[in-house]
Amino acid sequence: MTDENRRAGDWQRKAQRADANDLMRDPNEKKWYKQTFWIVFFLLIFWPVGIVICWKSDWHVAVKIIATIYVAFCVYMSWNMWQATMQLGL
């Protein structure tokens, strides 16, 4: 056998093979900051970033408003609890 016949794989149909990266990627894949998981993650962990990416996402306006009100309420309650503990001297 010559070198041309001893190649690994099927090199004769090279043009028909798909790129390996194309097999792993979804053609309609959203960017990470528009995925619901990351939006909720940042709303819970680092809320300023969460609010911004929430409003830049394709969520319905009512959901954006509810998420914003919820985060604002949590921040307000956290601030009030901190003030109360400071007044008690704890």
Side-chain angles (χ1 to χ4, degrees):
M1 291 187 118
T2 64
D3 256 353
E4 292 176 16
N5 295 334
R6 296 190 67 202
R7 293 183 185 166
D10 188 6
W11 295 103
Q12 295 172 350
R13 297 182 188 170
K14 184 178 180 180
Q16 294 176 351
R17 281 188 277 141
D19 185 21
N21 292 329
D22 293 340
L23 299 175
M24 300 302 291
R25 291 188 186 134
D26 183 12
N28 299 322
E29 182 179 347
K30 291 182 181 179
K31 299 203 182 286
W32 70 268
Y33 53 85
K34 291 191 176 186
Q35 294 177 5
T36 302
F37 171 80
W38 290 111
I39 296 171
V40 172
F41 175 79
F42 279 109
L43 281 171
L44 296 174
I45 302 301
F46 192 58
W47 60 268
V49 172
I51 293 292
V52 170
I53 62 176
C54 169
W55 281 95
K56 289 186 175 242
S57 73
D58 57 352
W59 285 6
H60 192 271
V61 175
V63 177
K64 293 176 184 181
I65 292 171
I66 291 169
T68 303
I69 290 171
Y70 178 74
V71 168
F73 177 75
C74 289
V75 170
Y76 174 76
M77 291 303 292
S78 176
W79 176 261
N80 280 339
M81 286 185 214
W82 180 74
Q83 292 287 19
T85 57
M86 287 294 128
Q87 286 179 354
L88 291 174
L90 296 176

